Amino acid sequence: MCLHSVIVPMQLIKLNLQPDTKGSYVEVLERFVNLGPIVDFCVVDLERQGQGQVVTCSGAYKDGSLRVVRNGIGINEQASVELQGIKGMWSLRSSTDDPFDTFLVVSFISETRILAMNLEDELEETEIEGFNSQVQTLFCHDAVYNQLVQVTSSSVRLVSSISRELRNEWHAPSGYSVNVATANATQVLLATGGGHLVYLEIGDGTLTEVKHAQLEYEISCLDINPIGENSNYSHLAAVGMWTDISVRIFSLPELNLITKEQLGGEIIPRSVLLCSFEGTSYLLCALGDGHLLNFQVNMSNGELTDRKKVSLGTQPITLRTFSSKNTTHVFASSDRPTVIYSSNKKLLYSNVNLKEVGHMCPFNSAAFPDSLAIAKEGELTIGTIDDIQKLHIRTIPLGEHARRICHQEQSRTFAICCLKNQSSADESEMHFIRLLDDQTLECISTYPLDTFEYGCSILSCSFSDDTNVYYCVGTAYVLPEENEPTKGRILVFIVEDGKLQLIAEKETKGAVYSLNAFNGKLLAAINQKIQLYKWMLREDGSREIQTECGHHGHILALYVKTRGDFIVVGDLMKSISLLIYKHEEGAIEERARDYNANWMSAVEILDDDTYLGAENNFNLFTVRKNSEGATDEERGRLEVIGEYHLGEFVNRFRHGSLVMRLPDSEVGQIQTVIFGTVNGAIGVIASLPHDQYVFLEKLQSNLRKVIKGVGGLSHEQWRSFNNEKRTAEAKNFLDGDLIESFLDLSRGKMEEVSKGMGVSVEELSKRVEELTRLH
Amino acid sequence: MWKDIGDREMGKIRPNSFSSRIKSNRISNLQLSNNKDIVSPHRGSINSLQVDLTEGRYLLSGASDASAAVFDIQRATNYEGDGLIAKHKCLFSVDKQHQKGHKYAISSAIWYPVDTGLFVTGSYDHHIKVWDTNTTQVVMNFKMPGKVYRTAMSTLATSHMLIAAGTEDVQVRLCDISSGAFAHTLSGHRDGVMTVEWSTSSEWVLITGGCDGAIRFWDIRRAGCFLVLDQSQSQLGQRPPVLARSAANKVSVSKSLSAGQNLLVKSRVPQKKYANGHGMKQSTIARMPSKGSARQRLHPGMLSIQDRATAHYGAVTGLKVTDDGMYLLSAGSDSRIKLWDLESGYNTLVNFGKVRLQASKAIQLAVSQDSAQVFVPCMAVVKAFDVWSGKMSLTFRGHYESVNCCWFSSQDQELYTGGNDRQILVWSPSKTITDDTNGRQAKDEDSWSD
């Protein structure tokens, strides 16, 4: 039912036999950022794109920091202009030798506009006289001899980039119009209606029709991106076809058919691209339904091998190459824009943190070096792209130890509970509530707590009959002579003009371990008690917190989560119990409990009936409410349905996701929970639908046979639930890391697994790739 | 606790040391529970208490009025005092009215170790009965030759389902649940057998303590007993101190070891010397039928039958093996508590101070899960001693009359005690005072204690 994957920070070291110049035998080969210990974190969507980011409280004492962990590749917007209905974009240089792009050709349904950088480094509209700007442009490209090529539905125009005048023009035969076209510096390939394929070559002021071929069906897409030794001339052309749904490779200039690959299915290819990553040539072929096929291309004979299929989005994809840091990558524009890159000879897909991109072209101008022009949702944006990698971690050093964090959408702030060790000899610590701006992460307001007062929980919530949003902070007075705090406070703050204003406070008889918003009220876990407070308006208009009701019967109610009228409590040592708030009686009662003796470290509610817990022996487990039980005894028992050994001590669960969610895709329906651990690992637990679980479970057991653990350790044994009392095989949990390692297997091993499963390698890869999209 | 939670969160202490620290802290704070009350239905002294071993949820009690009762100690039947005092009434009880119930006092009531579907009661009416928990019907009945003092089942057993029974009779009987017949009789004691206890390291080893003052070890696969504890053989400290003994002694020790080697835990602690160099009586200690041809003719079991060594002066009234199976605690009518090293079979001479123990009845001892504390009923109070130093750490005053039995629930760190005053008391770690936020009236739990 669930699946997890862990990103473990580390340092790769090498032990040398000989000491280096400093006398050290240890050589650090690679450093990774360590997030540990993650004491608390929150999932926020700062850019409001539907893309979660994790902000963790990491490190300890003076090395404490906040870390912003973001998945996917970000675009740092440099300039943007509102432009509706963009149908295509190309960048052009003012001369063949110019290292920078000057023009940005933007094509619309019935016109073409040309933008250029002016002297003030502003983008302004300009004209290239030789271009036909009254019609839609199908393709543009720089050509040799300081020329530019524009393909429209009726003609191919060759224009001088210096004088900007038309030098030559090739007209489509009357009765035919050009449907699709592509070009490189010396070649043009276009297709007209009726399946005619025309190949032109560009000379100095000349356009020569070299070859013409008639295919049996209409042509849907073309590409002649040069990937051979000559960067201006391609020997291969890729052509996607209507009707028989195939992609074909032709030789140039002969236009001889070399390979024909049926794509299968009924979705036509919408974009093909020949490209080369790390010395390997690939043919990428994007379909109209958001799937992408990739093949390896044999450059000498044009053969296509190693077919793989992944799903990137749900809308048609347009493929374009771009370079960043001298490496070529492919940008797939669709409803879920993706960057395709290669690492260790494996194609990787990293999502771009943008909602929907119609078109993209690289635009490397002097003012905006290494930038991309992106057409999305009625605007044209120019921006730079992040490093091409999956996770981006930003560190905000605090110089003090943050213990709790929470985000408030309305005031656009974070509030943290933190402590500062006095540098002097006496050990007294000072505790603060700090307010941080969520964009700059700078401290904008501070509320110091009393001496010996610790901040132990924080929450942003609103109350019934009050429109304001408040920060609630739970504290404990930790007196040196006391073993256990017997006094604490609940403080309610409002953010006004970027300042924390204390509105109300309430003394408690113990440490406030947890705070939750609950039916417009405030639910606090105070030592062994669950206490509900209501928000009351006094006669003088001020507000106060009043005790409503409570529930006893825990050893220490450390972790509390709520949903509707239900309260899930993770006890210090008595596993999970489920409480319910009865409105009529105004009382909290116990509904059910897990009678196992699990020492809890975190809980979360997965859905109405299923709750997730992490315990002291590095295990995860799920329990289910049994509302249909026949007896009171059965109904009063939370049934353990899943068990798994994580091997990490989980400090916090939060709902959310590090990836952009598409509401209409299958993967978008899957609920995920993020966890943070003492060792600094962040992982994702996804609730999978049953049929997918069954499929992946089978895949996992097949993979166990093929993938042998380091030292021959058994994966099954490692993932078995294990505590002092018993060991039980993992159930209803899958190891996502193991399943995803399928993609790293050699072809032979993949086939072995595929044989065991009775499912094709391609289908398996696709299902596993889909899974990788969850995180 | 507060600080430990913060440290665990930051990874400053390991989760397992966190839990053991909190557990021992809680044990040192045990006191009469102010929030958990067991409503005893018994009209006679409570002789036996046990919480089931599978879930740690159901408490089984046996009493002198021939009744046995089961309580749910995790889920209260009702609450009093503003939801603060959880009352645990019995889920069911069986007594004389039951058509197949016992006629006289139940001296021992134990759970079937594998699940809570069965429990076993032994009574002064000479019967041992096996009950189906769900139907509360007797499913098996063993007629014993005399009053049953104590019954025990091995918690480790995977290949047998034997109830060991100590009775008035000199013979210890093993009742087989799977066949309904007596599997063995173990002869060696010279008087009734007050207490029986299975080893916690081998499913074949049974330890019995008799009214003759002897503690005998039996391997139920072999005839006769293989070890008789002798109070005059002693070593100082937990483990034998560093060695200066004669070679001969070494041999005999190693022989006695080999006798029990598949029975007793073999300590990985290296053999160290015995400080006061007590000699071993060559012939008395059990011996494997080794290559020695002369000894071969003597049945090894018969050898120890001749052994009249005693562990206590007077009757042995209570036995408890530590959880690791390495040590045995015994209590006798001589008001002594002794700690025995099971590897060597020696009395460790730990001084548990001056206590007064009940002499006439078997008592049920309890140890905490890490075997750091032993809980001993000492007349009307229960005392907790440090196992290794013998120092008394806590005294539990609450019962009006003599306490017969105690049971420690390691899952909740709670102690249950039952006595002649017909009460079952719960001793739990003290709760911090935070509860009374609602300004509830202070309740006086202690009104009936002391």
Side-chain angles (χ1 to χ4, degrees):
Chain A
M1 184 163 276
C2 297
L3 177 134
H4 104 279
S5 165
V6 186
I7 306 136
V8 188
M10 52 193 165
Q11 207 173 43
L12 189 64
I13 59 167
K14 185 177 161 194
L15 299 173
N16 294 324
L17 292 172
Q18 300 301 323
D20 61 11
T21 46
K22 287 183 208 133
S24 168
Y25 292 88
V26 181
E27 182 189 347
V28 178
L29 294 180
E30 208 168 342
R31 268 176 217 281
F32 302 86
V33 188
N34 188 357
L35 297 179
I38 298 177
V39 184
D40 193 12
F41 69 92
C42 62
V43 186
V44 290
D45 178 13
L46 293 180
E47 270 91 45
R48 304 196 179 179
Q49 295 168 330
Q51 157 92 33
Q53 302 187 5
V54 165
V55 184
T56 68
C57 296
S58 293
Y61 303 121
K62 68 176 173 38
D63 297 324
S65 62
L66 297 182
R67 308 289 176 93
V68 183
V69 182
R70 192 162 46 82
N71 189 3
I73 296 167
I75 302 287
N76 308 310
E77 211 169 277
Q78 309 271 6
S80 80
V81 55
E82 204 165 295
L83 273 178
Q84 298 282 351
I86 298 175
K87 290 284 160 197
M89 283 195 305
W90 298 270
S91 55
L92 298 175
R93 285 180 291 224
S94 56
S95 73
T96 307
D97 308 325
D98 193 338
F100 293 110
D101 297 322
T102 311
F103 304 107
L104 187 62
V105 180
V106 185
S107 162
F108 299 89
I109 195 94
S110 60
E111 60 168 338
T112 298
R113 289 156 84 172
I114 293 138
L115 304 174
M117 303 303 299
N118 67 9
L119 294 171
E120 279 89 51
D121 280 345
E122 283 170 348
L123 208 55
E124 68 173 11
E125 195 159 349
T126 179
E127 255 181 66
I128 298 176
E129 290 80 2
F131 272 20
N132 183 352
S133 55
Q134 310 305 315
V135 294
Q136 180 184 353
T137 299
L138 296 177
F139 202 85
C140 265
H141 206 275
D142 298 305
V144 286
Y145 308 117
N146 294 332
Q147 298 174 110
L148 306 172
V149 174
Q150 181 198 23
V151 185
T152 65
S153 62
S154 58
S155 69
V156 179
R157 297 166 79 93
L158 191 64
V159 176
S160 160
S161 60
I162 297 175
S163 65
R164 302 187 184 181
E165 276 163 6
L166 183 68
R167 294 190 68 183
N168 204 334
E169 188 166 9
W170 175 91
H171 290 278
S174 59
Y176 290 100
S177 67
V178 180
N179 291 337
V180 281
T182 186
N184 58 36
T186 58
Q187 298 163 294
V188 179
L189 186 67
L190 54 88
T192 64
H196 293 281
L197 194 60
V198 180
Y199 172 61
L200 311 175
E201 280 190 0
I202 301 167
D204 192 357
T206 59
L207 270 174
T208 327
E209 183 177 330
V210 176
K211 190 79 188 174
H212 167 264
Q214 164 126 36
L215 306 183
E216 58 271 46
Y217 306 115
E218 295 284 341
I219 290 153
S220 65
C221 49
L222 301 165
D223 188 62
I224 52 168
N225 186 31
I227 48 173
E229 282 130 41
N230 188 340
S231 64
N232 285 335
Y233 189 88
S234 173
H235 289 283
L236 297 177
V239 177
M241 303 292 293
W242 285 83
T243 318
D244 71 342
I245 319 287
S246 67
V247 60
R248 303 176 185 197
I249 302 285
F250 289 90
S251 69
L252 292 179
E254 302 87 9
L255 280 188
N256 288 338
L257 180 66
I258 303 176
T259 316
K260 178 172 156 187
E261 177 84 20
Q262 294 298 134
L263 300 180
E266 292 167 351
I267 312 293
I268 57 153
R270 295 296 281 264
S271 181
V272 286
L273 184 68
L274 290 160
C275 59
S276 122
F277 294 117
E278 293 184 299
T280 312
S281 304
Y282 293 91
L283 171 69
L284 305 178
C285 174
L287 306 185
D289 62 352
H291 281 83
L292 180 81
L293 286 143
N294 67 66
F295 305 89
Q296 283 192 22
V297 184
N298 186 328
M299 287 310 287
S300 50
N301 58 17
E303 241 175 50
L304 299 178
T305 53
D306 234 0
R307 169 179 169 141
K308 280 186 187 144
K309 188 176 184 182
V310 292
S311 159
L312 297 184
T314 57
Q315 301 294 317
I317 300 170
T318 317
L319 299 168
R320 279 303 258 287
T321 57
F322 71 97
S323 32
S324 151
K325 300 228 161 86
N326 297 322
T327 321
T328 304
H329 310 290
V330 171
F331 193 100
S333 319
S334 73
D335 58 338
R336 183 173 166 142
T338 304
V339 169
I340 303 161
Y341 60 105
S342 163
S343 171
N344 294 325
K345 300 260 174 189
K346 191 181 140 194
L347 285 189
L348 297 174
Y349 305 87
S350 190
N351 58 307
V352 178
N353 297 338
L354 291 173
K355 266 192 183 138
E356 183 162 359
V357 172
H359 296 275
M360 180 298 270
C361 83
F363 186 57
N364 178 24
S365 65
F368 303 126
D370 260 343
S371 298
L372 306 179
I374 290 165
K376 53 165 191 183
E377 293 170 333
E379 71 176 12
L380 170 66
T381 303
I382 294 179
T384 55
I385 193 156
D386 281 343
D387 291 350
I388 308 296
Q389 63 188 40
K390 248 188 119 64
L391 274 190
H392 292 84
I393 297 169
R394 187 154 62 108
T395 303
I396 296 101
L398 293 171
E400 53 191 23
H401 181 187
R403 298 192 64 230
R404 294 289 179 267
I405 185 166
C406 113
H407 182 248
Q408 193 169 76
E409 183 82 40
Q410 289 77 5
S411 61
R412 310 230 62 179
T413 53
F414 286 106
I416 57 172
C417 297
C418 55
L419 67 94
K420 198 179 189 98
N421 278 67
Q422 304 297 78
S423 46
S424 61
D426 72 308
E427 295 159 30
S428 74
E429 302 168 330
M430 281 299 293
H431 291 254
F432 303 96
I433 310 299
R434 290 193 194 276
L435 190 71
L436 310 178
D437 183 277
D438 73 357
Q439 294 298 313
T440 61
L441 290 161
E442 273 166 9
C443 176
I444 49 176
S445 177
T446 298
Y447 180 88
L449 295 175
D450 294 349
T451 333
F452 299 124
E453 190 180 18
Y454 282 51
C456 30
S457 50
I458 195 160
L459 168 77
S460 162
C461 70
S462 57
F463 298 103
S464 47
D465 312 325
D466 192 346
T467 50
N468 293 322
V469 184
Y470 299 94
Y471 275 119
C472 302
V473 178
T475 70
Y477 284 90
V478 182
L479 304 174
E481 67 273 14
E482 270 183 359
N483 197 1
E484 193 68 9
T486 56
K487 192 180 139 192
R489 283 196 296 171
I490 294 175
L491 306 168
V492 181
F493 296 97
I494 193 165
V495 178
E496 267 175 7
D497 310 324
K499 292 273 177 299
L500 278 175
Q501 301 278 353
L502 184 66
I503 298 291
E505 66 173 293
K506 175 91 182 169
E507 194 166 299
T508 62
K509 296 277 176 71
V512 183
Y513 284 104
S514 168
L515 285 173
N516 277 278
F518 187 71
N519 285 310
K521 296 169 184 165
L522 184 66
L523 187 78
I526 303 162
N527 286 13
Q528 49 271 89
K529 190 173 182 188
I530 302 292
Q531 181 78 49
L532 187 62
Y533 294 98
K534 53 191 170 194
W535 188 233
M536 297 298 286
L537 189 66
R538 282 207 209 105
E539 279 166 14
D540 60 355
S542 65
R543 300 281 188 169
E544 65 169 342
I545 322 174
Q546 267 184 13
T547 313
E548 184 174 336
C549 61
H551 181 266
H552 301 273
H554 304 279
I555 306 283
L556 271 189
L558 290 182
Y559 312 101
V560 177
K561 291 283 160 96
T562 60
R563 185 179 179 115
D565 290 340
F566 288 105
I567 306 164
V568 172
V569 182
D571 190 85
L572 171 74
M573 51 193 282
K574 301 198 85 173
S575 197
I576 295 178
S577 52
L578 175 71
L579 312 179
I580 187 170
Y581 174 66
K582 300 243 167 121
H583 288 271
E584 302 82 45
E585 293 123 78
I588 297 173
E589 282 175 13
E590 183 178 301
R591 171 58 70 86
R593 188 197 294 178
D594 172 27
Y595 287 96
N596 291 307
N598 290 321
W599 289 57
M600 304 304 294
S601 68
V603 291
E604 186 55 272
I605 299 177
L606 291 179
D607 57 45
D608 281 342
D609 296 331
T610 322
Y611 318 115
L612 170 71
E615 60 88 86
N616 210 34
N617 289 299
F618 313 125
N619 299 304
L620 298 179
F621 64 97
T622 48
V623 292
R624 184 162 58 198
K625 181 173 81 184
N626 188 2
S627 334
E628 277 84 51
T631 62
D632 273 353
E633 152 71 23
E634 277 171 40
R635 282 189 293 272
R637 190 187 282 267
L638 289 174
E639 182 195 355
V640 177
I641 50 169
E643 290 178 315
Y644 183 74
H645 185 77
L646 178 66
E648 291 271 349
F649 185 88
V650 177
N651 265 331
R652 189 74 68 204
F653 288 120
R654 298 265 187 222
H655 278 287
S657 164
L658 276 171
V659 290
M660 185 100 67
R661 281 315 172 73
L662 295 174
D664 48 348
S665 76
E666 196 184 324
V667 172
Q669 307 303 321
I670 294 175
Q671 283 295 317
T672 55
V673 169
I674 299 177
F675 62 80
T677 76
V678 163
N679 291 342
I682 294 177
V684 176
I685 299 171
S687 308
L688 300 177
H690 183 254
D691 52 343
Q692 197 172 356
Y693 172 79
V694 172
F695 177 83
L696 292 173
E697 210 264 316
K698 197 171 160 201
L699 176 59
Q700 176 176 281
S701 61
N702 275 292
L703 282 170
R704 276 176 178 162
K705 291 178 207 146
V706 175
I707 302 174
K708 293 279 171 266
V710 178
L713 296 174
S714 146
H715 179 266
E716 213 167 331
Q717 212 175 332
W718 160 239
R719 291 305 182 191
S720 290
F721 182 96
N722 172 40
N723 65 15
E724 294 99 345
K725 278 181 94 177
R726 65 193 191 92
T727 301
E729 206 171 296
K731 59 178 181 189
N732 284 330
F733 273 90
L734 296 175
D735 185 348
D737 282 342
L738 179 74
I739 291 174
E740 284 174 20
S741 65
F742 174 77
L743 300 174
D744 299 330
L745 292 179
S746 66
R747 189 77 192 179
K749 294 226 164 144
M750 278 188 180
E751 262 149 24
E752 201 177 313
V753 175
S754 145
K755 208 178 281 170
M757 290 284 291
V759 180
S760 72
V761 172
E762 191 187 332
E763 173 68 15
L764 281 178
S765 309
K766 187 181 150 239
R767 299 282 292 258
V768 177
E769 294 269 10
E770 263 170 28
L771 213 59
T772 63
R773 296 243 141 198
L774 284 170
H775 62 86
Chain B
M1 222 189 283
W2 158 264
K3 190 171 172 295
D4 291 339
I5 290 169
D7 287 351
R8 179 179 73 158
E9 196 173 82
M10 280 170 57
K12 266 168 79 184
I13 59 171
R14 297 179 60 81
N16 53 1
S17 52
F18 168 82
S19 60
S20 56
R21 202 181 288 190
I22 284 191
K23 277 180 195 167
S24 58
N25 187 13
R26 282 169 62 83
I27 293 170
S28 63
N29 281 314
L30 283 178
Q31 60 179 44
L32 190 61
S33 176
N34 56 6
N35 54 22
K36 200 171 197 176
D37 227 5
I38 290 189
V39 185
S40 164
H42 301 297
R43 288 182 304 275
S45 54
I46 315 283
N47 294 326
S48 172
L49 285 174
Q50 192 188 25
V51 176
D52 77 278
L53 304 164
T54 44
E55 284 182 287
R57 186 170 170 188
Y58 299 105
L59 173 72
L60 175 66
S61 62
S64 293
D65 64 346
S67 64
V70 172
F71 305 85
D72 185 342
I73 53 166
Q74 301 286 358
R75 173 177 282 257
T77 38
N78 60 311
Y79 288 91
E80 280 179 13
D82 225 7
L84 282 172
I85 308 166
K87 293 276 182 191
H88 296 262
K89 290 190 180 135
C90 66
L91 299 177
F92 66 85
S93 70
V94 288
D95 53 18
K96 275 186 224 168
Q97 266 71 50
H98 192 280
Q99 55 178 14
K100 284 193 175 161
H102 287 291
K103 289 193 189 65
Y104 306 130
I106 290 178
S107 54
S108 169
I110 56 167
W111 285 107
Y112 177 56
V114 181
D115 62 51
T116 50
L118 291 177
F119 65 93
V120 178
T121 54
S123 163
Y124 281 10
D125 67 3
H126 300 200
H127 283 279
I128 291 176
K129 293 182 196 255
V130 180
W131 301 77
D132 182 321
T133 317
N134 295 312
T135 60
T136 63
Q137 292 302 317
V138 175
V139 289
M140 215 167 269
N141 195 349
F142 296 95
K143 172 89 174 80
M144 306 303 287
K147 288 179 186 170
V148 180
Y149 290 132
R150 188 59 71 192
T151 55
M153 292 191 78
S154 171
T155 54
L156 304 173
T158 51
S159 50
H160 68 78
M161 291 167 71
L162 297 174
I163 306 166
T167 64
E168 268 182 322
D169 190 49
V170 294
Q171 289 181 327
V172 175
R173 281 168 198 263
L174 300 180
C175 314
D176 192 344
I177 298 183
S178 53
S179 69
F182 297 116
H184 303 47
T185 52
L186 307 173
S187 309
H189 282 290
R190 288 157 191 279
D191 201 346
V193 178
M194 279 281 221
T195 169
V196 289
E197 173 95 355
W198 288 91
S199 161
T200 50
S201 57
S202 164
E203 60 170 306
W204 310 111
V205 175
L206 179 70
I207 307 159
T208 59
C211 296
D212 56 355
I215 296 174
R216 287 176 181 267
F217 284 67
W218 314 84
D219 180 342
I220 59 165
R221 294 167 299 185
R222 298 173 202 281
C225 76
F226 67 87
L227 179 63
V228 184
L229 296 183
D230 186 345
Q231 55 185 325
S232 65
Q233 292 192 348
S234 55
Q235 70 188 34
L236 277 175
Q238 281 188 41
R239 280 282 137 204
V242 195
L243 138 26
R245 286 183 311 126
S246 68
N249 275 346
K250 260 189 217 167
V251 172
S252 76
V253 166
S254 66
K255 270 181 190 161
S256 77
L257 273 181
S258 68
Q261 82 182 28
N262 38 14
L263 327 166
L264 298 171
V265 158
K266 276 174 78 185
S267 163
R268 272 153 203 88
V269 178
Q271 192 77 321
K272 291 175 196 156
K273 79 171 176 190
Y274 291 69
N276 46 358
H278 269 285
M280 297 270 289
K281 291 175 199 158
Q282 290 272 357
S283 57
T284 54
I285 297 298
R287 188 179 290 131
M288 270 297 279
S290 57
K291 291 129 250 162
S293 55
R295 287 162 187 159
Q296 191 91 42
R297 273 177 278 140
L298 265 172
H299 193 283
M302 299 316 288
L303 269 179
S304 48
I305 276 190
Q306 308 303 323
D307 188 348
R308 297 187 176 194
T310 56
H312 285 273
Y313 298 110
V316 177
T317 51
L319 286 177
K320 186 75 195 174
V321 186
T322 59
D323 278 2
D324 53 12
M326 308 241 278
Y327 294 90
L328 174 73
L329 284 147
S330 70
S333 59
D334 54 356
S335 281
R336 299 254 173 220
I337 303 160
K338 286 179 177 158
L339 177 70
W340 305 85
D341 184 338
L342 291 190
E343 189 207 25
S344 60
Y346 285 3
N347 180 3
T348 58
L349 294 181
V350 173
N351 180 9
F352 288 92
K354 257 185 115 170
V355 291
R356 224 180 118 218
L357 302 178
Q358 250 195 109
S360 55
K361 237 176 169 176
I363 56 171
Q364 190 185 325
L365 312 176
V367 290
S368 64
Q369 76 281 348
D370 52 355
S371 304
Q373 302 275 322
V374 56
F375 301 97
V376 186
C378 304
M379 303 312 284
V381 298
V382 176
K383 289 182 177 174
F385 297 94
D386 183 290
V387 171
W388 313 119
S389 70
K391 269 206 198 88
M392 193 184 77
S393 50
L394 285 168
T395 307
F396 302 98
R397 292 177 203 280
H399 284 283
Y400 289 134
E401 289 172 49
S402 291
V403 182
N404 297 320
C405 49
C406 38
W407 181 266
F408 182 76
S409 158
S410 56
Q411 185 171 320
D412 300 317
Q413 293 91 46
E414 284 177 330
L415 181 71
Y416 296 87
T417 58
N420 289 346
D421 58 359
R422 308 169 191 177
Q423 296 294 340
I424 300 170
L425 298 187
V426 188
W427 309 83
S428 61
S430 57
K431 291 223 169 176
T432 33
I433 11 114
T434 60
D435 283 351
D436 33 12
T437 31
N438 287 340
R440 65 182 168 90
Q441 71 287 15
K443 57 186 173 40
D444 189 7
E445 264 298 310
D446 291 334
S447 55
W448 42 271
S449 68
D450 280 329

